Amino acid sequence: MNLPNPWPDEPGHIAGRPLEEWNAAYLKVECYFHALRLRNHVLLGELVLNVLDRAMKRAPQELEHSATEIATDEMDKLLAHWFRDVLKEPTGSAQILSTRGRLALYLADMPQRWQAQFLRPGPWPEEFVTAMRTSYMDAGPDFQLARMSPRPLDLGPIGTLTNLSRLGFWKMILLWMLLAAILIVIFMTHWRGNE
Amino acid sequence: MSNPHPSGAPAPTITALPRISGGWRVFFFYTCAFVLTGFVSLLFADLIWRTGWSPAGTLLLLLFVILFLLAAVGCVHGVFGFVLQLTGDSRRITRLADYKHQSITSTSTAIVFPVYNEDSARVCEGLRATYESLARTGHLDRFDFFILSDSTNPDRWVAEERRWFDLVKDLNALGNIFYRRRIQNEGKKSGNIRDFLSTWGKRYRYCIVFDADSLMRGETVVDLVRLMEAHPNVGMIQTVPALVNAESLFGRIQQFSNRLYARIFISGLNYWAQSFGNYWGHNAIFRTEPFMQCCDLPHLPGRKPFGGQILSHDFVEAALLLKENWQVWLAHDLEGSYEEAPQSMIENAQRDRRWCQGNLQHALVVFARGLRGLSRIHLAMGIFGYLSSPLWLAFLLTFNRILYTKQSSGLSDIPVRAFTPILGFMSVTQHAFLIFTICMTVLFLPKVLALVDLSYDSVRRRQFGGLHRAAFSAVLETAFSALHAPLQMLWHSKFVATILLGMGVNWATQNRTADGTAWSSAIRAHAGHTVIGLVWGACVWQLDRTTFWWFAPVMLGMVVSIPLSVFTSRAALGQLARNSGLFLTPEETEPGKELVALRSRVTEQEANPIEFWPHWGLAHAVADPYVNAIHVSLLREKELNPIYVEALLQFRGGGLQVLVLAERLLSDGPDALQPAERMFVMIDSETMAWLHREVWVRPPTKLAAWWHGAIQRIAR
């Protein structure tokens, strides 16, 4: 890969941006590829530089955006483009494609088996293409909806007791007073008996 | 009143079956228990008569009758079970028909794992071991597996998704092992199963319910389906899971007693229950259609703790199936069904707290019209399993009260003659000792019988490490139980009291060290027990020193509760006991392939655990390219289900604006959102897909600093 060269920049700058800014962009892009479990350093470096190469071309025209913003946007576009080429699917939104693509990468075991194919232009090995295109997630079989409805349960005498909790305030007070009176009568009788 | 189903799906049709009836076995079994109780109660009443009747004595007798009846029922279970093991009982579900040759090719069975914030690694490894074992039977194509998540903790939720996906990838089981998480966990576990049945139930003839820590041998799973095929009127078969994989001393003692004693107890239970068995919530198979017809639980009237949702749903579901004349059996002789148990006394009590509330709630159901008598017995036994503790406490306190009254009166005892002629020759002390001896016999006879039963079986004897080791272990287990029982009494009494008062029990988060309960946790949990033991002991000592020694075992358990709790939770002591040949179980000495596979994989997972950090789940669901893809894809599938669409609409009706929240999440970090707001963001597929892009594409200045740290961790 060739970086744009020579740069009409002063030392310490590339594409009109300070080196620190590109370094931050490099780290962010590298982070994402790391998160995709890309572990081969040579491959990783090559891919990151490819993304930065594209970003640097855009950088002079997009002064309002930081190098990191441009680089990550390029990375996103590169991925979307590659997913579209590999999966060859009628695309929905970019988000659906991105999700589908990442899922396919994981199911096809890209980190272990196909690192060298990642973001490479085609043609790709048939096995890899098949693995990517047939990798669908099925979280459940087709629905077969039915309705479960609770059948009434007659609680018998207990049901009557639970209805007590629905009594109004004064009725409840009256009930407690009645209970207290019964207890007092029992206590008095018992006390007299002991005497 | 049922809610209209959002999908407009039909309700299952009702199947009418001829009424089944229990037999003379129930009558004979309980007559034995009642006769024994009647006889000993008479002796006890006579003793009270001889030492001076009083109102407190009447109360004491009443409590004695109830408590002894419960002990007698346990003892009769043991005796009947022992005799049946010797003579062989042909009235077992596995003996009623030749099921082994039953074809299952036309069947479809769902194996479901309802989970709620559990360790996803253990759940998935249990599933994997069962799956691989089932694959070895050649019948895997007849089964589908479902992880039915109700997890509310985002970390647990995302970990489940990740583990599930890795599992299906490893096993190449996409389209065979499924995962779904509900939007709202209404109805808890029973609601979770109901949700599954409403969505997919009609696809499957049978459903086998696992717990998060369950495991089953493939052959056992196939046998369950064969049994159901052979008996079309059976609605449910419950296996008796063996406790396995305990490491702590407490866990191994529980495991040993389960494996040694359960055999005769459950045989005894099956003797009288027959086709009126019970359901324990997991490791059981049910016929989907009748379950859907009969077992959607109604809400109970009144306020909590009794009103509302039925917490311990399993007993009630079995009762509802029996009510409609479906048979429920215990397949107690079907091996290869396993579960795990708490590893410490405190964890055990925490589990008991949940079960206690559910069982007490059955007091509302036990008198429901139309339930079968045997269902009422199952429900009542569950209730008394917890009520017996406060009754025992009341018995001890009443006895102390009588003692106090006697001592404080300063009067001497002038015992009268017994009114039972046969006891005429006995002194009061001999009389009391006779009752004590009978009580001890009733309590310990089943344990002795279990050992005798073991002595007849050379294979089992070897599996338990030999008769001598098993016997010595049983003695130690009995000593431990004697110390543990008073603590159970105090705990259960507290649970019952707090539940009746409508109060919760606050469990401080338990500090577990790498090797069991921390001393600080044990002190917090047991300080009250220790104080009660010391004060109570001192009072009894003051009252009467002879009585004190009778009470000593009860007090001792309380006084030593803190060290007992800590030391029995230690895996090192569990290992030491194992190396000494103590508390060995068949699954330890001769583990099956499934158990070996499970243990090795769980050990592997424990060596590389997921290191949760604050908002781990959210961070991964947003920033990890693969986890985000899995999460978003699962959410998109969920949105296809009309039931969830309804739930999502309700959720969104709460006035939360997901994009505003998502923006705040990016700019201010997760702590800027309430937990419910974070969950709200996490259940929206579009937002989660958008967040993934934003978190990687946005410049650092527009992202909260927290995200930079999260990205660094994820990209490592």
Side-chain angles (χ1 to χ4, degrees):
Chain A
M1 177 183 332
N2 297 319
L3 286 173
N5 194 33
W7 296 99
D9 284 316
E10 55 193 272
H13 283 66
I14 299 177
R17 313 287 176 109
L19 275 177
E20 288 74 28
E21 214 178 297
W22 288 115
N23 194 45
Y26 186 103
L27 289 176
K28 189 79 182 264
V29 174
E30 188 188 44
C31 254
Y32 192 75
F33 290 147
H34 254 298
L36 282 167
R37 325 279 196 268
L38 213 62
R39 297 290 185 247
N40 186 301
H41 289 284
V42 178
L43 207 58
L44 189 68
E46 197 182 350
L47 288 172
V48 176
L49 287 177
N50 183 24
V51 171
L52 290 194
D53 179 18
R54 294 160 65 113
M56 284 169 187
K57 284 178 183 153
R58 269 173 60 184
Q61 286 81 49
E62 298 182 34
L63 297 174
E64 71 280 14
H65 294 125
S66 68
T68 305
E69 270 176 289
I70 301 169
T72 50
D73 185 59
E74 271 306 316
M75 174 183 75
D76 190 50
K77 282 181 178 157
L78 194 64
L79 272 166
H81 189 76
W82 187 74
F83 283 147
R84 196 167 290 124
D85 286 351
V86 175
L87 296 173
K88 282 270 184 293
E89 277 187 11
T91 54
S93 70
Q95 284 176 357
I96 290 179
L97 180 71
S98 165
T99 310
R100 163 86 181 89
R102 280 178 277 133
L103 205 59
L105 279 181
Y106 195 49
L107 278 170
D109 211 1
M110 180 281 283
Q112 293 294 324
R113 300 189 58 203
W114 305 108
Q115 284 203 32
Q117 302 304 326
F118 181 59
L119 288 185
R120 293 269 165 201
W124 305 278
E126 196 53 40
E127 196 187 347
F128 170 68
V129 175
T130 310
M132 286 289 285
R133 290 180 189 169
T134 56
S135 296
Y136 278 98
M137 194 181 73
D138 226 350
D142 292 342
F143 303 128
Q144 202 158 338
L145 301 176
R147 179 156 52 92
M148 281 180 76
S149 311
R151 300 170 72 180
L153 189 63
D154 182 352
L155 296 176
I158 296 288
T160 317
L161 284 178
T162 56
N163 286 339
L164 288 179
S165 66
R166 297 193 191 129
L167 284 179
F169 179 75
W170 289 110
K171 281 185 182 169
M172 188 64 89
I173 292 286
L174 207 66
L175 198 73
W176 278 111
M177 284 174 70
L178 187 69
L179 185 68
I182 293 169
L183 289 176
I184 288 167
V185 168
I186 293 171
F187 175 77
M188 296 296 284
T189 344
H190 176 68
W191 179 66
R192 279 188 195 139
N194 272 353
E195 262 193 340
Chain B
M1 204 49 190
S2 62
N3 292 324
H5 197 266
S7 63
T13 50
I14 308 296
T15 309
L17 286 175
R19 184 176 169 82
I20 48 170
S21 55
W24 55 270
R25 285 176 174 238
V26 186
F27 176 77
F28 182 53
F29 182 92
Y30 281 97
T31 300
C32 290
F34 278 107
V35 166
L36 179 61
T37 307
F39 170 67
V40 182
S41 299
L42 186 70
L43 293 182
F44 193 77
D46 207 346
L47 182 67
I48 296 175
W49 169 258
R50 294 182 78 175
T51 52
W53 201 278
S54 65
T58 312
L59 178 63
L60 195 69
L61 176 62
L62 182 70
L63 291 168
F64 179 84
V65 172
I66 300 171
L67 289 169
F68 191 86
L69 176 63
L70 295 171
V73 168
C75 179
V76 176
H77 271 104
V79 174
F80 273 60
F82 172 71
V83 174
L84 289 170
Q85 287 296 337
L86 284 186
T87 58
D89 184 10
S90 57
R91 291 286 300 163
R92 286 184 260 168
I93 183 75
T94 49
R95 294 285 178 89
L96 295 179
D98 179 18
Y99 70 94
K100 281 283 183 188
H101 297 104
Q102 192 76 42
S103 165
I104 65 162
T105 46
S106 65
T107 63
S108 56
T109 304
I111 298 179
V112 300
F113 289 74
V115 294
Y116 176 73
N117 295 330
E118 262 109 359
D119 174 13
S120 53
R122 171 61 188 82
V123 174
C124 287
E125 292 313 328
L127 192 156
R128 182 202 298 264
T130 306
Y131 182 94
E132 288 174 339
S133 178
L134 200 49
R136 287 194 288 272
T137 67
H139 293 290
L140 187 61
D141 57 333
R142 301 288 91 218
F143 297 87
D144 279 338
F145 290 74
F146 289 82
I147 297 172
L148 305 176
S149 172
D150 252 354
S151 296
T152 49
N153 178 332
D155 293 346
R156 295 284 183 189
W157 172 17
V158 174
E160 280 165 13
E161 291 180 339
R162 213 176 97 171
R163 297 268 193 205
W164 162 73
F165 202 74
D166 286 344
L167 181 71
V168 291
K169 199 161 147 278
D170 278 2
L171 294 171
N172 195 19
L174 267 175
N176 204 201
I177 301 176
F178 304 111
Y179 175 88
R180 85 93 177 85
R181 179 186 169 274
R182 285 200 292 168
I183 307 282
Q184 289 165 314
N185 59 352
E186 187 196 343
K188 299 189 178 170
K189 188 176 169 185
S190 61
N192 196 355
I193 299 287
R194 174 195 151 134
D195 179 89
F196 164 76
L197 292 172
S198 301
T199 311
W200 290 295
K202 285 181 92 64
R203 292 181 68 93
Y204 301 99
R205 191 180 299 174
Y206 305 114
C207 181
I208 301 179
V209 183
F210 277 53
D211 223 0
D213 57 9
S214 291
L215 174 68
M216 264 189 176
R217 195 187 298 160
E219 197 54 49
T220 310
V221 171
V222 173
D223 279 349
L224 281 174
V225 178
R226 285 180 178 143
L227 280 167
M228 292 297 269
E229 284 288 281
H231 300 282
N233 285 357
V234 172
M236 180 180 279
I237 301 174
Q238 170 70 59
T239 65
V240 181
L243 294 185
V244 292
N245 292 342
E247 289 182 347
S248 72
L249 185 58
F250 176 82
R252 292 198 62 247
I253 292 174
Q254 300 298 97
Q255 186 173 276
F256 170 78
S257 59
N258 162 273
R259 293 301 280 134
L260 184 63
Y261 309 138
R263 181 173 140 106
I264 61 165
F265 275 109
I266 304 293
S267 294
L269 176 59
N270 185 63
Y271 171 80
W272 63 266
Q274 294 287 290
S275 59
F276 291 85
N278 206 356
Y279 174 38
W280 301 331
H282 55 88
N283 292 50
I285 186 169
F286 61 78
R287 205 175 288 275
T288 315
E289 186 71 19
F291 193 90
M292 291 172 74
Q293 289 168 14
C294 315
C295 298
D296 193 2
L297 302 179
H299 273 235
L300 296 175
R303 300 191 189 119
K304 285 183 179 176
F306 290 103
Q309 180 207 334
I310 296 175
L311 298 174
S312 284
H313 54 95
D314 37 16
F315 280 35
V316 183
E317 284 160 349
L320 292 175
L321 277 176
L322 290 168
K323 181 170 172 266
E324 302 300 328
N325 297 312
W326 287 96
Q327 298 179 16
V328 176
W329 281 88
L330 275 172
H332 62 94
D333 51 348
L334 212 55
E335 297 282 335
S337 172
Y338 311 105
E339 67 168 325
E340 293 174 6
Q343 294 297 299
S344 72
M345 286 162 53
I346 298 176
E347 284 173 24
N348 193 58
Q350 284 170 335
R351 187 184 67 173
D352 274 350
R353 171 65 178 79
R354 292 196 306 274
W355 287 1
C356 180
Q357 183 162 357
N359 277 278
L360 290 184
Q361 203 186 26
H362 290 164
L364 282 193
V365 184
V366 75
F367 296 109
R369 291 202 172 93
L371 289 194
R372 307 305 301 266
L374 272 81
S375 296
R376 296 188 207 280
I377 295 178
H378 288 303
L379 290 165
M381 287 194 0
I383 296 167
F384 275 101
Y386 291 93
L387 268 191
S388 57
S389 286
L391 292 177
W392 183 29
L393 182 62
F395 179 84
L396 295 176
L397 291 173
T398 309
F399 180 81
N400 284 185
R401 159 83 188 161
I402 293 171
L403 189 68
Y404 171 76
T405 311
K406 281 204 173 148
Q407 300 296 81
S408 58
S409 70
L411 300 171
S412 331
D413 279 340
I414 307 173
V416 297
R417 280 180 66 80
F419 63 72
T420 317
I422 200 170
L423 298 172
F425 65 94
M426 283 186 169
S427 69
V428 169
T429 311
Q430 286 170 327
H431 188 158
F433 192 73
L434 174 67
I435 295 172
F436 174 77
T437 309
I438 296 173
C439 288
M440 290 302 110
T441 306
V442 163
L443 288 175
F444 297 123
L445 182 64
K447 297 191 181 205
V448 175
L449 292 179
L451 280 171
V452 176
D453 175 49
L454 184 70
S455 70
Y456 282 113
D457 188 334
S458 61
V459 176
R460 283 185 73 233
R461 226 167 40 222
R462 189 188 64 235
Q463 290 174 331
F464 278 90
L467 187 61
H468 289 97
R469 281 174 175 164
F472 187 50
S473 301
V475 170
L476 292 178
E477 183 275 331
T478 305
F480 171 75
S481 298
L483 296 175
H484 188 217
L487 302 175
Q488 293 275 80
M489 174 187 74
L490 293 179
W491 255 321
H492 289 183
S493 301
K494 181 181 172 185
F495 298 158
V496 171
T498 51
I499 288 164
L500 291 179
L501 292 170
M503 295 157 59
V505 172
N506 291 323
W507 292 99
T509 310
Q510 208 196 142
N511 286 328
R512 280 183 65 86
T513 63
D515 195 19
T517 306
W519 281 96
S520 55
S521 295
I523 291 169
R524 270 202 306 275
H526 296 289
H529 300 156
T530 311
V531 172
I532 291 171
L534 287 171
V535 172
W536 195 350
C539 290
V540 178
W541 177 263
Q542 283 297 316
L543 282 175
D544 181 36
R545 294 190 181 180
T546 312
T547 311
F548 172 82
W549 293 111
W550 287 100
F551 268 72
V554 176
M555 307 305 171
L556 185 64
M558 297 179 196
V559 173
V560 301
S561 56
I562 295 172
L564 187 71
S565 186
V566 170
F567 288 125
T568 54
S569 72
R570 296 282 190 254
L573 287 180
Q575 189 59 45
L576 184 68
R578 186 171 176 168
N579 294 341
S580 314
L582 294 173
F583 309 119
L584 293 176
T585 63
E587 286 71 29
E588 285 182 334
T589 49
E590 295 174 14
K593 276 183 188 170
E594 312 72 33
L595 283 168
V596 173
L598 175 68
R599 272 182 218 155
S600 84
R601 286 192 177 276
V602 167
T603 310
E604 224 172 80
Q605 300 274 3
E606 281 169 355
N608 301 298
I610 291 179
E611 286 171 19
F612 290 112
W613 30 273
H615 306 299
W616 176 95
L618 177 68
H620 277 79
V622 169
D624 186 309
Y626 297 130
V627 177
N628 175 266
I630 297 166
H631 187 81
V632 170
S633 303
L634 284 169
L635 290 175
R636 284 187 184 135
E637 286 220 5
K638 207 191 300 280
E639 286 159 5
L640 299 174
N641 184 340
I643 301 172
Y644 293 144
V645 171
E646 182 87 353
L648 278 169
L649 282 175
Q650 277 179 14
F651 217 84
R652 285 167 187 157
L656 297 167
Q657 291 183 338
V658 68
L659 275 177
V660 176
L661 294 174
E663 189 58 51
R664 203 184 326 148
L665 182 66
L666 289 173
S667 56
D668 301 337
D671 284 327
L673 270 62
Q674 297 295 317
E677 292 174 329
R678 288 195 290 269
M679 287 300 268
F680 183 55
V681 172
M682 286 181 75
I683 60 166
D684 193 285
S685 62
E686 293 305 309
T687 308
M688 288 303 287
W690 177 79
L691 277 170
H692 176 70
R693 187 180 185 280
E694 290 300 307
V695 93
W696 285 102
V697 170
R698 277 198 184 194
T701 49
K702 291 181 184 170
L703 273 180
W706 183 88
W707 284 108
H708 303 304
I711 285 172
Q712 292 299 327
R713 285 173 138 159
I714 287 166
R716 252 189 301 192

